Amino acid sequence: MSQWVSVCALSGLDDPGAHGFSHGDDAWPLHGFVVYIGGELHAWVNRCPHAGHRLDWAPHRFLTRDRRLVMCASHGAVFEPNTGLCVGGPCPGARLTRLPVRVNAAGDVEVDAAAAQAH
Ligand code: FES
């Protein structure tokens, strides 16, 4: 069963750009983020496959300085924004966990929070 939750307005995202979100109860929230790049949206669980940390040291700051890759602020792992594949740093070959993402009729970016519960 899907549980689509609104994350942000598509019009509020830069291309390339990223936006973090949390959803759910205080004890066990889902932390995730969306990346908008090349006109495509991708959504990922905000948990680094290296040591399980959240990727953003500062809120919503998920991208490298040139905005071409996702970067974990803890130990510098970098990931392709469209595949989630780690291409540098301490966990090459590992992957971020993808979340289903869509844009609703009102132009809001929505993520299926239920998909994360399988992980
Ligand atoms: S926890 Fe992300 S690189 Fe170590």
Side-chain angles (χ1 to χ4, degrees):
M1 191 171 68
S2 299
Q3 185 187 3
W4 293 97
V5 296
S6 180
V7 170
C8 62
L10 180 62
S11 61
L13 288 172
D14 291 334
D15 184 354
H19 186 90
F21 66 91
S22 295
H23 172 75
D25 59 61
D26 291 342
W28 198 248
L30 165 65
H31 299 292
F33 63 103
V34 295
V35 179
Y36 190 43
I37 187 165
E40 292 184 354
L41 273 172
H42 303 275
W44 306 102
V45 174
N46 187 359
R47 186 180 62 235
C48 182
H50 174 230
H53 299 177
R54 288 169 65 169
L55 285 86
D56 56 331
W57 180 263
H60 309 299
R61 193 168 300 176
F62 293 93
L63 301 181
T64 52
R65 200 176 290 264
D66 64 6
R67 297 187 177 200
R68 294 176 58 184
L69 296 169
V70 170
M71 187 171 78
C72 178
S74 284
H75 311 106
V78 287
F79 305 87
E80 294 178 338
N82 55 340
T83 68
L85 178 69
C86 180
V87 292
C91 52
R95 286 184 187 270
L96 300 172
T97 300
R98 185 182 290 278
L99 294 170
V101 62
R102 69 183 185 185
V103 179
N104 69 16
D108 294 325
V109 177
E110 296 182 332
V111 167
D112 182 6
Q117 293 167 4
H119 300 284

